[in-house]
């Protein structure tokens, strides 16, 4: 759903941001001059600077030296580049760790670390809480007036937790302010289990491997304690961000302030961070052969964090990455870059500009390699970056600020993810992230735009909301979902939703307790299944058109699945007991694979207000999911365009109504996709209307209009004709 145009920070106008992390402090001025020449030639317009320079900028508690940074900023500014200026607080200086060992983290095994690596600060330590914001404020006082400063970049990829005594103290304070009393904490955590009743707040410890985290299983003896410790750690890191942001704001009231996020990333609840971030930026490092829809879902999720506002792809490797090793295939980096823009990015940035000679990332891909002597421009990587830069420079500004249009909301919740991963007695094969990806991928395959949203988001305008495995459900979110359905939204809810309350306790009553009235069914029991179990699902009248539907309305999917396999459930079978007004859309089959629930209802549909709720009593495989989605979409009028595997289409709409339709091929094989509406293809300047002789567009299969042939990793962007609106 498009949520209208919002006012965005003034810095976000003009061309798309193109560039990335640069570390000129590792090189001399002549090298930087050469880098700037090469980067300008590649259409780079923005550099992220000063990410890991704390120890260079400050040699003791009172002595700062900005001369090196001044020189870099002058040179970069003179070259006409915009700057994303980092605060450098992501890596504590060695002198500081030596002077204040308490600034180093204690790990989950209870070991106090010495200085090392990065993201290494205990965020509860008073010295960090003093010096990090002070550095951010000092930088802001010095550089806020720079005309080419477009972003403040606080720390870098916050991650992890600390188990030191200071953090234990902060955790106890956090608990008290959340619950109000020790009794309430005992109650929330069911502390009488295994004799944990606490009589003094000081008896509560963070759940480390030497306290309540059970070795091997990763499960905390009191799941509520584990959940709250994750919440606390997320809030603590967000507070560190807030403190630096406040210090910056004292000197610079306008420039957007952010920190770069990651995905998949479980440590912190980014939904609770989003209001503090002026713009969402994230770092994308897919493995070479990951399905492109995984990255697409991460983009949709990042865009959803701020209600659909454009975000920035702040890092990706132009070629190879340290952790995943494999090099991107020829054309893949360009396709991934346009994929980000297609999903709502207003900037495409890299890690990194020049490959470090030393250090633990000395072989990480970079725009400028070590080839030297005028050879860099002749390298494949630099050429690919230059070609993409030219494309972005040519058409990026038109697209910038436009908003992605999506009809379906897919719900994603960090607390539900934490809760599922933090319990015992679950099926270890069922995976929260996999389930969300699974539904997302099938929507992509049908050419349907998806907003990935928190269950706390406003859902009312969506015709379809899908909530896979919303294991922990907060009361107010269940109410919000019910409200949307009452107003006409259709909901798909799967097994393992609404099981726990906010504190991580099993809800008492007929499951799914908070959705009971909405779904018109209750689960008597859940049966965990093994990978070998092949739980059959039977959809009555499978393959038949809905009564009264014209043949042309019948989606071929109804007659067969993506894989052609019979539909099955995975990992869990719920014994469903439907109410009288609840329709059964599918049943479990019979026989040995369905011994727990032979012939029982598997998928149900219940009218609720102006909407309806589908409930799925298992976690469907591809074939089952396709059929369920078919029924969920039935009659909603959402445009569908069936796409071959690895292809995508998305739509961005500008404030003036201009529609940019992206057609992407994320694979190394050619793909043919349906042309949704005619217009002008912006990369080639050619017409895209399916007329014979118009180049690569060819007439497609009977009755489906025209199509577009996409070469491996091909991209087309069609600005649709106004007449086609
Ligand atoms: C992260 C960091 C960068 C760099 C890259 C390497 O995204 O932010 O500093 O380490 O990973 O891929
Ligand atoms: Zn700590």
């Amino acid at each position: 759903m498009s949520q209208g145009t919002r006012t965005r920070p003034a810095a976000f106008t003009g061309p798309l941001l193109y560039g990335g992390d640069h570390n000129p402090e590792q090189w001399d001025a002549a090298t930087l001059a050469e880098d700037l020449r090469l980067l300008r030639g590649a259409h780079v317009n923005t550099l992220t600077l000063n990410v890991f320079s704390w120890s260079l900028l400050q040699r003791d508690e009172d002595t700062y030296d900005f001369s090196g940074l001044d020189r870099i900023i002058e040179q970069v500014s003179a070259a006409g580049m915009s700057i994303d200026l980092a605060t450098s607080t992501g890596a504590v200086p060695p002198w500081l760790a030596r002077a204040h060992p308490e600034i180093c983290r204690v790990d989950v095994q209870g070991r106090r670390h010495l200085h090392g690596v990065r993201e290494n600060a205990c965020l509860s330590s008073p010295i960090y809480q003093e010096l990090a914001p002070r550095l951010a404020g000092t930088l802001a006082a010095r550089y806020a007036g720079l005309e080419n400063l477009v972003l403040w970049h606080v720390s870098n990829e916050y991650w992890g937790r600390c188990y030191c005594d200071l953090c234990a103290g902060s955790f106890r304070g956090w608990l008290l302010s959340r619950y109000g009393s020790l009794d309430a904490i005992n109650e929330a955590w069911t502390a009488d289990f295994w004799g944990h009743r606490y009589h003094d707040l000081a008896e509560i410890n963070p759940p480390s491997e030497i306290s309540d985290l059970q070795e091997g299983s990763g499960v905390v003896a009191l799941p509520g304690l584990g959940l709250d410790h994750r919440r606390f750690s997320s809030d603590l890191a967000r507070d560190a961000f807030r403190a630096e942001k406040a210090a910056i704001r004292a000197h610079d009231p306008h420039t957007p302030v952010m920190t770069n996020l990651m995905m998949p990333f479980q440590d912190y609840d980014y939904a609770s961070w989003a209001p503090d971030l002026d713009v969402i930026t994230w770092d994308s490092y897919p493995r070479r052969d990951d399905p492109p829809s995984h990255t697409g879902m991460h983009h949709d999720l990042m865009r959803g964090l701020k209600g659909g506002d454009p975000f920035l792809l702040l890092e990706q490797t132009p070629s190879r990455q340290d952790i995943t090793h494999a090099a991107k295939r020829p054309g893949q980096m360009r396709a991934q870059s346009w994929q980000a823009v297609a999903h709502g990015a207003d900037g495409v940035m890299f890690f990194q500009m020049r490959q470090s000679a030393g250090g633990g990332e000395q072989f990480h891909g970079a725009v400028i390699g070590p080839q030297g002597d005028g050879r860099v421009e002749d390298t494949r990587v630099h050429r690919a970056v230059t070609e993409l830069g030219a494309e972005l420079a040519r058409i990026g500004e038109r697209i910038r600020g436009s908003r992605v249009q999506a009809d379906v909301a897919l719900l994603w919740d960090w607390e539900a993810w934490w809760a599922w991963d933090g319990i015992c007695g679950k099926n270890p094969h069922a995976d929260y992230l996999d389930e969300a990806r699974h539904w997302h991928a099938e929507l992509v395959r049908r050419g349907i735009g998806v907003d990935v949203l928190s269950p706390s988001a406003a859902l009312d305008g969506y015709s379809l909301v899908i909530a896979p495995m919303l294991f922990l459900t907060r009361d107010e979110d269940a109410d919000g979902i019910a409200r949307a359905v009452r107003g006409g939204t259709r909901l798909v809810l799967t097994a393992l939703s609404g099981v726990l309350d906010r504190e991580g306790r099993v809800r008492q009553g007929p499951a799914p307790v908070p959705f009971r009235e909405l779904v018109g069914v209750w689960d008597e029991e859940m049966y965990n299944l093994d990978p070998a179990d092949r739980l059959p699902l039977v959809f009555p009248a499978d393959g038949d058109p809905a009564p009264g539907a014209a043949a042309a309305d019948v989606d071929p999917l109804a007659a067969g699945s993506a894989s052609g396999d019979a539909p099955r459930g995975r990992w869990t079978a719920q014994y469903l007991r439907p109410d009288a007004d609840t329709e059964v859309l599918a049943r479990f089959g019979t026989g040995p694979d369905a011994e727990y629930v032979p012939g029982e209802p598997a998928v149900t549909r219940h009218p609720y207000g102006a909407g309806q709720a589908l409930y799925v009593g298992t976690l469907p495989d591809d074939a089952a999911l396709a059929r369920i989605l078919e029924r969920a979409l039935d009659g909603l009028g959402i445009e569908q365009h069936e796409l071959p595997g690895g292809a995508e289409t998305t739509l961005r709409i500008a404030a003036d109504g201009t529609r940019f339709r992206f057609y992407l091929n994320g694979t190394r094989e050619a793909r043919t996709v349906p042309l949704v509406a005619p217009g002008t293809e912006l990369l080639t300047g050619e017409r895209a209307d399916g007329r014979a002789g118009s180049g690569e567009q060819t007439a497609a299969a009977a009755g489906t209009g025209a199509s577009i042939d996409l070469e491996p990793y091909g991209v087309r962007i069609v600005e649709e004709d106004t007449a086609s609106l």
Side-chain angles (χ1 to χ4, degrees):
M1 183 181 66
S2 152
Q3 313 209 352
T5 305
R6 284 155 199 252
T7 36
R8 286 180 302 122
F12 287 106
T13 53
L16 296 184
L17 299 193
Y18 192 53
D21 284 47
H22 195 22
N23 299 297
E25 61 280 353
Q26 296 173 14
W27 307 93
D28 60 17
T31 309
L32 176 55
E34 170 66 356
D35 291 350
L36 290 167
R37 187 187 67 76
L38 289 166
L39 295 172
R40 273 170 29 139
H43 307 276
V44 163
N45 56 34
T46 305
L47 296 182
T48 298
L49 299 174
N50 202 43
V51 179
F52 294 113
S53 300
W54 192 349
S55 199
L56 275 178
L57 301 177
Q58 191 177 3
R59 53 161 304 151
D60 60 41
E61 275 178 48
D62 305 308
T63 317
Y64 293 93
D65 175 3
F66 294 102
S67 57
L69 184 58
D70 283 350
R71 191 257 301 162
I72 290 167
I73 287 180
E74 259 166 47
Q75 247 181 298
V76 166
S77 303
M81 299 271 179
S82 296
I83 294 175
D84 161 26
L85 191 57
T87 61
S88 269
T89 52
V92 164
W95 63 261
L96 181 51
R98 181 164 170 243
H100 294 274
E102 75 280 9
I103 205 171
C104 296
R105 288 185 183 179
V106 170
D107 67 21
V108 70
Q109 296 174 325
R111 301 175 307 175
R112 165 77 67 188
H113 283 215
L114 300 172
H115 179 268
V117 293
R118 59 176 176 173
E119 283 311 314
N120 48 8
C122 165
L123 303 178
S124 300
S125 60
I127 191 72
Y128 186 83
Q129 292 181 349
E130 182 195 335
L131 292 189
R134 201 215 288 168
L135 177 57
T138 308
L139 287 163
R142 191 172 190 90
Y143 300 112
L146 279 177
E147 269 179 30
N148 53 330
L149 180 68
V150 291
L151 280 171
W152 282 105
H153 179 126
V154 173
S155 186
N156 190 67
E157 293 188 340
Y158 281 99
W159 79 64
R161 294 187 276 273
C162 173
Y163 295 83
C164 77
D165 291 345
L166 290 166
C167 283
S170 322
F171 180 43
R172 293 177 194 122
W174 182 94
L175 286 169
L176 201 58
S177 65
R178 181 177 177 91
Y179 290 101
S181 73
L182 193 56
D183 281 350
I185 298 171
N186 278 310
E187 168 87 2
W189 295 352
T190 318
D192 289 325
F193 177 80
W194 286 354
H196 272 54
R197 175 155 294 262
Y198 302 103
H199 294 287
D200 190 310
L201 202 59
E203 295 161 9
I204 297 177
N205 295 309
S208 72
E209 282 181 15
I210 56 172
S211 62
D212 259 317
L213 185 66
Q214 301 178 85
E215 259 187 270
S217 71
V219 168
V220 176
L222 299 184
L225 162 64
L227 201 51
D228 276 332
H229 190 250
R230 284 182 181 272
R231 290 181 175 127
F232 157 75
S233 301
S234 176
D235 286 1
L236 182 68
R238 187 189 57 192
D239 286 349
F241 171 82
R242 281 181 178 166
E244 289 197 37
K245 182 175 178 182
I248 292 167
R249 281 283 170 258
H251 302 280
D252 180 348
H254 299 301
T255 310
V257 182
M258 56 74 180
T259 185
N260 44 342
L261 310 181
M262 296 169 274
M263 192 62 206
F265 180 69
Q266 201 177 22
D267 289 3
Y268 309 139
D269 175 1
Y270 285 154
S272 79
W273 287 48
D276 290 293
L277 304 168
D278 295 327
V279 58
I280 298 296
T281 67
W282 84 283
D283 304 340
S284 178
Y285 290 97
R287 280 183 298 257
R288 185 182 66 186
D289 295 317
D290 281 353
S293 76
H294 288 187
T295 306
M297 184 185 121
H298 300 159
H299 288 312
D300 290 343
L301 187 157
M302 290 291 159
R303 188 184 69 248
L305 288 174
K306 278 190 102 60
D309 286 355
F311 60 92
L312 302 173
L313 172 61
L314 206 75
E315 287 184 27
Q316 64 168 342
T317 176
S319 50
R320 62 176 182 267
Q321 201 221 9
D322 282 350
I323 301 165
T324 63
H325 309 292
K328 293 190 182 186
R329 299 183 194 283
Q332 195 172 19
M333 181 278 284
R334 171 177 178 262
Q336 290 173 340
S337 302
W338 279 116
Q339 184 191 27
V341 177
H343 285 262
D346 269 3
V348 173
M349 312 270 285
F350 298 102
F351 181 89
Q352 55 190 334
M353 295 294 105
R354 177 180 275 280
Q355 189 180 325
S356 296
E361 292 180 336
Q362 70 195 129
F363 289 104
H364 195 293
V367 175
I368 301 172
Q371 299 85 0
D373 284 346
R375 291 192 181 86
V376 171
E377 277 149 306
D378 196 28
T379 61
R380 286 181 173 188
V381 175
H382 191 269
R383 257 202 314 272
V385 170
T386 305
E387 283 162 17
L388 173 65
E391 289 180 345
L392 291 167
R394 205 166 69 241
I395 61 178
E397 194 161 348
R398 290 178 66 68
I399 294 167
R400 190 171 184 165
S402 59
R403 300 174 72 84
V404 171
Q405 177 76 27
D407 291 307
V408 176
L410 178 72
L411 302 189
W412 171 264
D413 188 62
W414 270 271
E415 294 198 345
W417 194 14
W418 295 343
W420 176 255
D421 282 2
I423 58 154
C424 59
K426 67 177 179 222
N427 189 326
H429 303 290
D431 182 85
Y432 183 70
L433 177 60
D434 278 355
E435 292 310 306
R437 282 175 166 168
H438 197 197
W439 287 90
H440 187 272
E442 180 61 15
L443 289 160
V444 167
R445 209 176 66 76
R446 289 163 180 262
I448 296 174
V450 191
D451 284 338
V452 179
L453 297 178
S454 157
S456 312
L459 302 171
D460 304 78
Y462 291 91
S463 42
L464 179 62
V465 172
I466 299 176
M469 238 176 112
L470 196 56
F471 190 62
L472 176 153
T473 307
R474 297 171 292 271
D475 291 347
E476 64 274 21
D477 293 349
D479 292 347
I481 292 169
R483 209 166 35 244
V485 177
R486 214 177 298 124
T489 293
R490 197 171 291 177
L491 172 72
V492 177
L493 188 74
T494 76
L496 305 176
S497 294
V499 178
L500 301 185
D501 68 10
R502 179 197 309 272
E503 280 67 47
R505 289 174 298 211
V506 176
R507 288 179 179 272
Q508 304 298 298
V513 177
F515 299 110
R516 169 73 187 86
E517 296 307 313
L518 181 57
V519 296
V521 65
W522 67 280
D523 293 343
E524 181 184 305
E525 176 68 279
M526 71 177 172
Y527 301 96
N528 286 345
L529 304 177
D530 280 340
D533 291 326
R534 295 177 56 73
L535 180 69
L537 263 72
V538 179
F539 290 78
D542 207 356
D544 291 341
D553 295 337
V554 180
D555 192 293
L557 284 170
S561 67
S563 59
D565 291 340
R568 297 185 189 279
R570 295 132 69 238
W571 314 134
T572 183
Q574 318 280 118
Y575 178 29
L576 302 188
R577 314 283 300 269
D579 295 344
D581 62 342
T582 301
E583 197 186 338
V584 175
L585 298 181
R587 291 184 177 275
F588 294 113
T590 51
D593 281 328
E595 60 186 326
Y596 298 109
V597 282
E600 297 296 340
V603 182
T604 59
R605 177 162 60 194
H606 185 243
Y608 187 79
Q612 48 177 245
L614 276 71
Y615 188 62
V616 185
T618 182
L619 299 174
D621 74 352
D622 286 358
L625 192 149
R627 282 166 171 77
I628 295 163
L629 203 52
E630 184 68 34
R631 282 147 183 82
L633 289 163
D634 185 44
L636 287 181
I638 296 175
E639 253 188 274
Q640 297 187 50
H641 312 281
E642 203 192 331
L643 301 175
E648 281 183 83
T649 63
T650 68
L651 176 65
R652 286 183 73 161
I653 303 183
D656 67 1
T658 309
R659 296 158 72 90
F660 303 101
R661 183 91 55 177
F662 291 77
Y663 299 87
L664 307 162
N665 176 6
T667 75
R668 54 182 169 145
E669 292 148 21
R671 292 282 185 262
T672 298
V673 298
L675 175 73
V676 178
T680 304
E681 203 291 308
L682 297 178
L683 293 165
T684 57
E686 288 174 9
R687 286 291 304 162
D689 54 15
R691 284 175 312 195
S694 68
E696 55 204 3
Q697 288 81 37
T698 54
T704 58
S707 62
I708 294 186
D709 292 331
L710 296 169
E711 69 280 7
Y713 297 116
V715 180
R716 298 288 183 283
I717 307 164
V718 175
E719 183 177 326
E720 296 181 347
D721 296 341
T722 320
S724 73
L725 293 184

